């Protein structure tokens, strides 16, 4: 089955060198095998096919093949064609020159934050949605299209976000992008073009987000984070700040929601200064012990840019995210994105549109909410039994929790976990460079393991705690 392509003639890039065609062809084939470009077992084109491709006589190719078989470079068997022979000590592809790479053992278990359970991706439902979407898709969907995104997806997203997240989401305000990072980079570029010099970020967060804004030419001062979320009242004293990146529904990584007074303060700051709040709603669908916290964007759609993603609800490999922008920002962001060549893949957009419209997305989110809540409960119960001195926080929503550690123990715990094949992140990993040392802790991504690997990951965690 793997060689079914051979019946149609395989392509082979080869350049005979030297004065004679046969000797030149043999030399080129030897070099390709010697360097590993043609790996052992690779099936070569038939002599007829290669002769036509090279514009030489078939007998020339057949003679070259026969001699290389005699020399041991190739093998030829009836029904199996001509293949590269297995050779003792054969070289692999030449390695790129540079410093030797350190080989790391792949972790047995992972509790890294930021990922859902990839084993739970709804393959069958996604496939059905894809078939329906492709059957109904107009021909123009497969051409160069609007970089704003397919209207089918923007339309269903507008309804879903309004219903589930309280977002004011007219389809004409939505721009589809290839992940949150892509969207943030585009907004950062437009902010700089508009003359903004600084974009505030939370004192706890992802360095990749700060780096994106920095790459756009923006400084990234921070606002402090406490048990009520970001201290947005600080924005009023930051005279050069023209934008603020916040995680209102579930602060990353501490897990606390932004207090209502601070939500109002963020919007008031944006209104009074003409600033823009960038709302990262990275896992807003997952809440357990509280009423859902609506999107900040609903308070003022002209002063808040809402960014959502399918990375946590479905899978990051889809590379599907969306921005709901103030009306005057849409065209500028699309211009920053570029022409139709930079649009997100149309087939995945159409599939997600059908997946949401059919109700499959809501069903999947509800099922995963139950799964993650069960894991959250098991985490809390197991730690209460086996490590009762450790406090767990940030557990009312999301896919991760914070486990507080005794002062001075964070790095040793992370190192011990790595030695035992457990991937973990310490809380200090997410501290802004301008922020002083905080409490020691672990950010435990309980959504990351597969269902079969969850119990083992939880047991490994308990073993490395001091």
């Amino acid at each position: 089955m793997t060689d079914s392509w051979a019946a149609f003639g395989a392509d082979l890039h080869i350049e005979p060198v030297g004065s004679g065609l046969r000797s030149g062809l043999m030399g080129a084939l030897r070099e390709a095998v010697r360097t590993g470009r043609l790996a052992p077992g690779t099936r070569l084109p038939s002599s007829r096919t290669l002769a036509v491709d090279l514009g030489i006589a078939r007998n020339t190719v057949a003679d070259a093949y026969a001699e290389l078989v005699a020399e041991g470079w190739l093998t030829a068997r009836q029904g199996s064609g001509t293949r590269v022979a297995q050779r003792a000590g054969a070289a692999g592809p030449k390695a790129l020159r540079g410093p030797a790479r350190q080989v790391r053992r792949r972790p047995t278990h992972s509790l890294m934050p930021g990922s859902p359970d990839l084993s739970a991706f709804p393959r069958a439902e996604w496939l059905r949605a894809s078939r329906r979407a492709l059957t109904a898709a107009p021909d123009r969907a497969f051409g160069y299209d609007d970089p704003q995104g397919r209207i089918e997806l923007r339309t269903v997203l507008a309804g879903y976000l309004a219903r589930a997240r309280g977002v004011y989401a007219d389809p004409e305000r939505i721009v589809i992008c290839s992940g949150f990072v892509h969207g943030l980079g585009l907004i950062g570029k437009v902010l700089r073009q508009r003359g903004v010099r600084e974009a505030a970020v939370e004192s706890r967060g992802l360095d990749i987000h700060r780096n994106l804004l920095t790459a756009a030419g923006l400084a990234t001062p921070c606002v402090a984070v406490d048990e009520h979320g970001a201290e947005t009242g600080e924005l009023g004293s930051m005279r050069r700040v023209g934008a603020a990146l916040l995680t209102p529904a579930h602060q990353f990584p501490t897990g606390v929601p932004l207090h209502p007074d601070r939500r109002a303060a963020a919007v008031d700051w944006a209104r009074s200064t003409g600033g823009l709040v960038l709302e990262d709603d990275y896992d807003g669908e997952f809440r357990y012990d509280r009423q859902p916290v609506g999107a900040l964007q609903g308070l003022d759609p002209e002063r808040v840019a809402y960014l959502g993603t399918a990375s946590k609800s479905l899978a990051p490999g889809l590379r599907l995210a969306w921005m709901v922008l103030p009306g005057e920002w849409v065209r500028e962001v699309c211009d920053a994105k570029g022409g139709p060549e930079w649009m997100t893949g149309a087939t995945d957009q159409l599939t997600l549109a059908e997946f949401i419209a059919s109700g499959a997305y809501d069903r999947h989110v509800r099922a995963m909410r139950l799964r993650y809540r069960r894991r959250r409960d098991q985490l809390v119960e197991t730690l209460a039994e086996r490590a009762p001195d450790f406090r767990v926080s940030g557990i009312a929503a999301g896919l991760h929790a914070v486990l507080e550690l005794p002062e001075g123990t964070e790095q040793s715990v992370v190192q011990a976990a790595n030695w035992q094949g457990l991937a973990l992140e310490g809380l200090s990993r997410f501290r802004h460079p301008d922020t002083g040392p905080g409490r020691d802790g672990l950010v435990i991504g309980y959504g990351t393991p597969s269902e079969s690997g969850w119990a083992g990951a939880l047991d490994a965690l308990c073993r490395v705690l001091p």
Side-chain angles (χ1 to χ4, degrees):
M1 186 68 181
T2 57
D3 288 328
S4 61
W5 47 262
F8 302 98
D11 285 337
L12 174 64
H13 174 71
I14 205 78
E15 295 181 2
V17 294
S19 57
L21 287 177
R22 184 170 67 86
S23 61
L25 177 58
M26 291 172 59
L29 286 169
R30 288 192 195 98
E31 182 65 14
V33 174
R34 184 184 296 113
T35 61
R37 185 168 71 84
L38 293 180
T42 299
R43 185 167 182 170
L44 301 184
S46 68
S47 58
R48 183 190 303 275
T49 299
L50 187 56
V52 171
D53 288 347
L54 296 179
I56 60 179
R58 181 184 179 188
N59 286 343
T60 301
V61 178
D63 290 345
Y65 276 4
E67 190 160 341
L68 290 173
V69 168
E71 293 177 1
W73 293 94
L74 305 178
T75 63
R77 294 180 182 177
Q78 185 68 30
S80 183
T82 303
R83 296 176 181 269
V84 176
Q86 300 288 340
R87 293 172 55 83
K94 291 182 177 179
L96 296 177
R97 294 182 178 180
R101 295 181 60 188
Q102 182 179 3
V103 178
R104 293 187 177 183
R105 183 167 63 92
R106 185 175 181 178
T108 304
H109 300 289
S110 177
L111 291 172
M112 299 287 281
S115 176
D117 178 356
L118 300 179
S119 69
F121 183 78
R123 300 175 191 229
E125 293 84 354
W126 187 261
L127 180 58
R128 285 193 288 269
S130 179
R131 286 172 174 164
R132 293 193 300 267
L134 291 176
T135 299
D139 292 344
R140 63 179 179 277
F142 305 105
Y144 295 109
D145 204 358
D146 187 348
Q148 190 172 344
R150 291 297 307 173
I151 186 60
E152 297 91 339
L153 179 55
R154 290 188 283 121
T155 299
V156 297
L157 273 175
Y160 172 79
L161 293 173
R163 168 173 57 83
R165 301 298 300 127
V167 174
Y168 177 79
D170 184 278
E172 296 308 311
R173 291 174 174 259
I174 297 177
V175 176
I176 306 301
C177 51
S178 300
F180 174 85
V181 165
H182 182 210
L184 181 61
L186 293 174
I187 292 179
K189 182 177 180 179
V190 175
L191 284 168
R192 191 65 185 85
Q193 290 172 348
R194 286 180 162 224
V196 174
R197 296 291 185 271
E198 297 185 357
V201 297
E202 296 168 327
S203 61
R204 302 277 180 171
L206 287 169
D207 56 0
I208 187 174
H209 297 166
R210 295 196 305 271
N211 294 341
L212 274 172
L213 296 172
T214 300
L218 301 167
T220 55
C222 65
V223 294
V225 172
D226 61 17
E227 67 274 13
H228 298 300
E231 296 184 12
T232 54
E234 296 179 0
L235 292 171
S237 62
M238 297 179 171
R239 301 302 179 189
R240 291 169 54 86
V241 167
L245 174 61
L246 304 175
T247 51
H250 189 228
Q251 202 282 325
F252 186 88
T254 64
V256 298
L258 188 61
H259 190 277
D261 290 346
R262 296 185 179 182
R263 290 163 65 90
V267 173
D268 288 344
W269 164 80
R271 288 170 176 165
S272 63
T273 63
L276 182 70
V277 176
L278 312 180
E279 179 177 13
D280 178 4
D281 194 33
Y282 64 99
D283 63 359
E285 291 96 343
F286 299 112
R287 75 277 181 181
Y288 313 117
D289 301 326
R290 69 183 191 207
Q291 291 297 314
V293 177
L296 183 66
Q297 189 261 10
L299 297 181
D300 194 334
E302 298 304 327
R303 298 263 58 97
V304 181
Y306 174 92
L307 293 91
T309 175
S311 294
K312 306 299 184 291
S313 56
L314 285 169
L318 293 177
R319 309 313 306 141
L320 284 171
W322 42 88
M323 298 175 280
V324 186
L325 302 169
E328 64 177 15
W329 278 71
V330 173
R331 186 44 47 198
E332 291 177 74
V333 170
C334 286
D335 289 344
K337 189 178 183 184
E341 293 84 356
W342 298 104
M343 64 177 285
T344 308
T347 55
D348 283 341
Q349 290 189 60
L350 292 169
T351 300
L352 180 58
E354 173 61 27
F355 196 74
I356 295 172
S358 69
Y361 186 81
D362 282 273
R363 291 192 296 272
H364 175 72
V365 167
R366 286 184 175 276
M368 297 310 297
R369 192 180 294 151
L370 292 173
R371 175 178 294 193
Y372 295 142
R373 178 170 185 162
R374 182 174 67 250
R375 290 189 186 181
R376 190 278 314 260
D377 292 345
Q378 290 171 345
L379 172 67
V380 173
E381 292 168 3
T382 301
L383 290 174
E385 177 183 345
R386 298 176 59 179
D389 295 333
F390 295 89
R391 176 176 174 266
V392 185
S393 62
I395 60 175
L399 305 180
H400 71 270
V402 174
L403 177 63
E404 297 187 16
L405 296 174
E407 184 177 353
T409 64
E410 179 183 307
Q411 294 307 314
S412 62
V413 170
V414 172
Q415 187 176 44
N418 289 336
W419 285 340
Q420 297 194 30
L422 173 64
L424 277 178
E425 285 281 22
L427 186 59
S428 62
R429 162 73 175 75
F430 305 101
R431 187 175 69 237
H432 191 283
D434 295 339
T435 303
R439 67 185 192 273
D440 283 29
L442 301 173
V443 183
I444 301 172
Y446 54 80
T448 304
S450 65
E451 194 75 346
S452 61
W454 165 238
L458 184 55
D459 183 64
L461 171 65
C462 292
R463 291 198 305 270
V464 302
L465 293 178

